[in-house]
Structures are given as C-alpha cells and as structure tokens.
Amino acid sequence: MPLKFRLAYRNLFHDRLRFIATIVGIIFSIVLVTVQMGLYVGFRRMVTTMIDHSSADLWIMPAGTKCFEDPSLLDDRQRFRALAVEGVADAAPLVIGYAQWRLPSGTTTPVFVVGSELRGSGLRPWNLAGGRIDDLTVPGAVAIDQSYFERLGVSGIGDSAEIRDQKVQVMAVTKGIRSFTTTPYVFAGVDRARSYTGMAANKVSYFLVRVAPGSDVGRVRRQLRDGLPDVEILTAAEFRSRSRSFWLFGTGAGAALFAGALLGFIVGTVIVAQTLYSSTKDHLSEFATLRAIGSSGAYIYLVIILQALLSAVIGFCGAVAISSVVVGMTADSALPIVMTPTMALALFLLTGVMCVASAIAAIVQVMRIDPTTVLAR
C-alpha cells in the first residue's frame, strides 16, 4: 500500500467515532439529494406520460394550452381541414376532462377522463394487465389502472360504477398508468368521453396528427398553420417541453425539489468539512513533521484529499443501499422516486466533489503550520 494512502487511511480511522459521524453525514446528505432528485425525475416523467405514449407527430390544440391536463375546446370541423392537408395521414380526436365517479357505496371521487378513437392513431391505454382494447367498444366500457381499485370502489374487470349518472363497467385494467395529480385516469371511447365530461358532440380537446411516411413534418406543420389560424400546432417534443416547464417551474414544484437537493448538499459538505478539519487539527504535529522532513505541499494535499475520497466512497456505498430501499418502497406510489444509472453516476461524482471541497479548509490549516514547531518540541 502506498505510504500516502496508508497515512490517509490511518488518519481517517484513528478516531472511529468521528469517522462514523462523517459517514453518517455523507449518507444523510446523499440520500436527501437522491430522494429530491429522484422525485424530480419521477415527476418530470409523469407530467408527460400521456404525450410520451402517443404516436402523434403533431398536436393541434387551442391557443395558450399550458399542458396536457389543461382542457380547452376545438371545433370538430377543424379535423376535416387538417385531413385535407397534403401529408396528413390521420388527425385523431382526443377528448379530456374531469368528471365525478360514483362508487357503488354512493360516494363520489374525481376522475380524469381520456377519450380517444380505439383504433388508428388515438391515445389508447397501454400496459394492459387485463382485458383488451377491443373490449372498450362496448357501450359504457372503461379502462382504469389497478392501483386505483380501492379508491374507485372496484376490484377488477366486470365491476360497475357511474360517471355523470351513466353506468360504466370496467372492461380493461392497466398497470402503472398513474396520475401525478393523484386523480385517476379513466380511458373510454371518444363519444362516451364527451358524454362523461359534458362536452358538446362537435367539440374535442386535441387532434393527434400522424404524418404520412415520407412527408416532411415541418412542411406539413406550416400548411396546417395556414389552414388553421386560430390554434397552436406543436410537435410532441415541444408539447412535452411546455408541459414540463409549466408543472416544474410554473407551479414552483421543480424549485422546491431543487432547493431540497441543494440543502442536502450544503448539510453534507458542512458536516464533512467540520470532521476533516477537526481530524486534521488533531494531527497537526504529524503534518508538521512531514513538512519538516521535506514533504512537498502537493504530497500533503494528496493525503488530505485521499481522506476525503475514502469518506466519499464509503458514504456513497451506504447511501446507495438506503436509497435502493427507498426507491423500491415508492415504486407503486402515486409519485415514485426514480433512480437511473446516469443519476447514480452523477451522485457519485457529486459525493466526491462534496468531500474534496470539504477538504479545502483542512488543507489551508495544514499549510499554515510552521515546520519548526516540531523542533521546538
């Protein structure tokens, strides 16, 4: 083992209680950052889940639409204008809106209805755990996610309830389609969705445009704008970006998550800095001896930084173990904490930066040592 690594190791483990306090501080801060960033990533994914699972190349929407859940109305006749544009293969109507779901017990709970054409390029339910898409063609048939069974007062396929005083029957069940607003999604045919939300028969919320193979999306978009002047036409990427910007920054949710992550980083840095400083101060005579026998400043820097990096590696391993448990516990919750390989690598680098930054105070203290203090003893 190289001498500088041995010195760093012994300095770090000399006072085990102080070492444990350092590791606990690192673990606490990294777990906090992981939870906050994991919530951010999970929230970022969930706010665009409907857009992500649509096959539309272009979205036609009312002007000023902020996000997918911002229900406004378009005239259904605009669909025929869109279909008349060269290069448009389909313009599927999509109806969204809030409604009241009446449980068999008589109580009600709000739901978010998503109505689309069940064939073609409409937005249909995915991740089916039971039933088929074709089953939704039955009058009154709906699809819900199994995570909302208890809330909606049903137990599976075949159970009945009411929406807007109309009987509905669960004919398909999905797995993992959860709403970040906690309001359950209910999928139905476009005509039934109009009825459930009280929308007029000639109105829709969006048109999902699929461009014909070989056609230029930009050109088709320009022609659609010329023919439909009173609407907005966005690509899926643009609509996704707009929805995320609204929910993450327009509502302040993203700022709150970032503030929590920053707090964890600051707390961890302060704890590690204090511990490394105290540990270094207790070994000033040893560092003075190193300087007195001719050790370079770079050598002493390296010893202290190695102490910090050892703390970072050990603390990160403990934080990953705890974070994995937290991620698993929230996997089926309304807002799961998401951990990706890229995020794990970023957190590892963040831990290293935090610990090395904490070592700066200790390095400054050591470099102020007068080597003659060793001779004075």
Side-chain angles (χ1 to χ4, degrees), residues 169-187:
Q169 187 173 24
V170 178
M171 296 299 291
V173 173
T174 63
K175 181 179 181 181
I177 305 181
R178 293 183 297 271
S179 168
F180 67 94
T181 63
T182 72
T183 302
Y185 288 123
V186 174
F187 292 88

Side-chain angles (χ1 to χ4, degrees), residues 300-315:
I300 296 175
Y301 293 165
L302 187 58
V303 170
I304 297 175
I305 290 175
L306 281 174
Q307 288 182 229
L309 291 178
L310 278 172
S311 301
V313 171
I314 297 172

